[in-house]
Amino acid sequence: MSAQGESTTQRVHRSRQLVREHVQVGAHSRRRRNRARRAVAYPLAIVGLGGVLVTVGPGAMGRADILRTVADAVGAPAATRAFPAGAAEPGTIGGATAPGEVASSAGSAPAPTAAATGSTAATTTNPASANRASASPASAAPGGGPVAGPRTEGLLTFRGNATRTFHGTGPLPASSPAQRWRFPGEGGLCSTSVDQSGPSVWCGTGWTGQPAVFERAGRTWVVFGAYDGAVHFLDAATGERLLPDFPTGDLVKGSVSVDPDGYPLVYVGSRDSYLRVLAIDGPEPRELWSLSAYDVSPTMWNDDWDGAPLVTEGLLVEGGENGQLHVVELNRSYGPDGRVQVEPRLVFNAPGWDDELLEALGDSNVSIEGSVALHEGVAYFANSGGLVQGWDLAPLHSGGAPERVFRWWAGDDVDATVVVDEDGMLYVGVEYESLNARSEEVGQIL
């Protein structure tokens, strides 16, 4: 059929397909992203652009130069270019918003439904692999400016903070960036992985491509996972390894997170089904703990971990492609030998779907691919079925279970991370894939 003979829906569909073939969009579905990114050998990048790790500015780079590069603040006074610790009110667990207030702050979303019951009810049952020692959470992560706990300075998680809103301090550099080094020096970050289409070579730095950049022991570290099936620990000034690579059993697709409270810990998930806690206080990284995507029940879709874990008040909060929301009490401390240790305990998990969603979808693609955002104690996330949810985590501190206080169905795949502004408004990007009536009704930018 000629272009003149196409219907409006056909023209829209063809145009979007052309865009997807030429542009990397944050809310791509897994199937289309696999085709677009699978076999391109991306080097890594300090600001997460196309996977290339570059440093900017003439001459040798010092700590301030590196920090201003990461913060996109080359034109600002040097004293203001590092990461401000108090840019906004902390997004910590405690001041939970009432259910009605949450719904009204996000537009005309309906009140929470009772569909999340029965086989999809939340549970506080701990998996067999989780350590059952308990302690009261005691740390906090900020929710406005870039994450900078009392003892860790830097860009520590995807989009820099708990509300997933940090994008640099600006202004942008006036001149074109110049590459100082790249990693690896030759070739790309590649390995063979298997998905529903079979084995293929994957290259790059994951869906988000953003490394963690932070200060430790007088050096600026760059830490990231990649499609070569490893986590890398580099010196931002030279690109040299600070620690040996930590191999995982498969791709690392999401951004890593670094502990905001000064503990030498890195949190990372892999397609090998494990979410891990790594210690970086020795000559090589140590795996202290892991959680399998199959340690909880029920699960749906697969076992990848695409989101960047969020650490707040001693809790690790993460959604998985198993469809579940997980909350882990970390119980961090130091042992008699002075090395960091953890005694994690899974204190809550809940399906990211409900019966109402499954009936509306007619399939089981309800994976959580974005990173959890946190605002006033409520954890917000979405899934591939288009269900946007908010769970109040505050009851955990009094021995209770989190409560779902927000539910909104966007109608179609939401892979991108939900963003929350200072007023509690949610910003959601939705893929137009299923072409159903609900996605036609609500649109793609919410």
Side-chain angles (χ1 to χ4, degrees):
M1 180 182 293
S2 67
Q4 289 82 1
E6 290 180 327
S7 68
T8 300
T9 299
Q10 289 172 320
R11 287 197 301 273
V12 169
H13 184 71
R14 181 170 58 84
S15 298
R16 287 193 170 117
Q17 182 61 33
L18 290 173
V19 170
R20 289 183 177 114
E21 290 173 358
H22 293 89
V23 180
Q24 248 181 328
V25 179
H28 267 185
S29 72
R30 172 178 174 175
R31 294 177 293 281
R32 287 176 179 149
R33 283 181 299 188
N34 290 355
R35 291 198 298 268
R37 303 186 63 176
R38 184 172 293 153
V40 181
Y42 297 111
L44 172 70
I46 216 169
V47 288
L49 297 175
V52 181
L53 188 38
V54 281
T55 55
V56 180
M61 294 195 70
R63 172 182 174 278
D65 298 301
I66 294 167
L67 289 180
R68 74 170 63 101
T69 300
V70 176
D72 291 333
V74 171
T80 67
R81 290 172 185 165
F83 302 98
E89 289 298 315
T92 55
I93 299 170
T97 306
E101 294 172 341
V102 173
S104 64
S105 71
S108 56
T113 69
T117 59
S119 63
T120 58
T123 178
T124 56
T125 301
N126 299 334
S129 65
N131 189 301
R132 295 176 181 271
S134 71
S136 298
S139 63
V147 169
R151 295 177 302 279
T152 308
E153 180 183 10
L155 187 71
L156 308 184
T157 190
F158 180 56
R159 292 185 182 160
N161 59 26
T163 52
R164 311 294 183 180
T165 54
F166 180 69
H167 55 273
T169 57
L172 293 172
S175 59
S176 299
Q179 179 175 304
R180 294 305 185 91
W181 55 266
R182 57 169 282 168
F183 182 87
E186 299 289 340
L189 298 162
C190 304
S191 68
T192 298
S193 186
V194 179
D195 63 9
Q196 60 266 41
S197 301
S200 57
V201 175
W202 294 57
C203 296
T205 57
W207 290 163
T208 56
Q210 178 187 299
V213 185
F214 60 98
E215 293 296 299
R216 172 169 166 75
R219 307 179 82 164
T220 302
W221 291 52
V222 177
V223 178
F224 64 96
Y227 286 172
D228 61 346
V231 182
H232 305 278
F233 310 85
L234 307 182
D235 187 323
T238 65
E240 297 177 349
R241 286 179 172 89
L242 293 172
L243 297 177
D245 301 340
F246 179 87
T248 60
D250 209 323
L251 310 175
V252 179
K253 292 165 63 184
S255 292
V256 306
S257 293
V258 173
D259 193 277
D261 302 314
Y263 293 96
L265 297 170
V266 171
Y267 308 94
V268 60
S270 169
R271 176 177 271 188
D272 66 359
S273 86
Y274 288 102
L275 176 67
R276 292 179 169 91
V277 180
L278 306 180
I280 57 171
D281 57 352
E284 58 185 32
R286 294 179 293 136
E287 179 178 319
L288 301 183
W289 178 82
S290 65
L291 176 72
S292 169
Y294 302 107
D295 281 338
V296 298
S297 180
T299 62
M300 206 169 283
W301 197 242
N302 64 35
D303 56 9
D304 293 10
W305 300 89
D306 288 0
L310 182 65
V311 177
T312 178
E313 295 197 357
L315 300 176
L316 183 152
V317 187
E318 173 76 319
E321 285 207 37
N322 60 1
Q324 287 261 350
L325 172 69
H326 313 77
V327 183
V328 176
E329 188 177 78
L330 290 168
N331 300 315
R332 303 159 296 176
S333 63
Y334 291 95
D337 59 357
R339 304 187 76 180
V340 69
Q341 58 188 18
V342 295
E343 295 183 282
R345 185 170 66 100
L346 183 71
V347 294
F348 179 76
N349 63 279
W353 72 88
D354 55 31
D355 294 338
E356 182 180 346
L357 176 68
L358 296 180
E359 182 178 356
L361 287 178
D363 65 40
S364 61
N365 188 354
V366 291
S367 64
I368 302 171
E369 298 194 30
S371 302
V372 175
L374 187 74
H375 178 73
E376 294 187 348
V378 178
Y380 294 98
F381 63 95
N383 65 22
S384 295
L387 186 60
V388 184
Q389 298 185 63
W391 286 79
D392 180 6
L393 304 184
L396 284 171
H397 296 290
S398 57
E403 176 188 1
R404 189 170 73 171
V405 295
F406 181 83
R407 184 190 191 277
W408 173 266
W409 184 41
D412 216 328
D413 191 357
V414 180
D415 290 341
T417 295
V418 173
V419 172
V420 191
D421 70 15
E422 61 185 5
D423 297 320
M425 301 290 287
L426 307 185
Y427 299 81
V428 183
V430 187
E431 184 175 6
Y432 188 60
E433 180 181 47
S434 300
L435 312 181
N436 60 39
R438 177 63 174 174
S439 57
E440 289 273 7
E441 174 190 358
V442 302
Q444 279 65 62
I445 304 296
L446 310 178

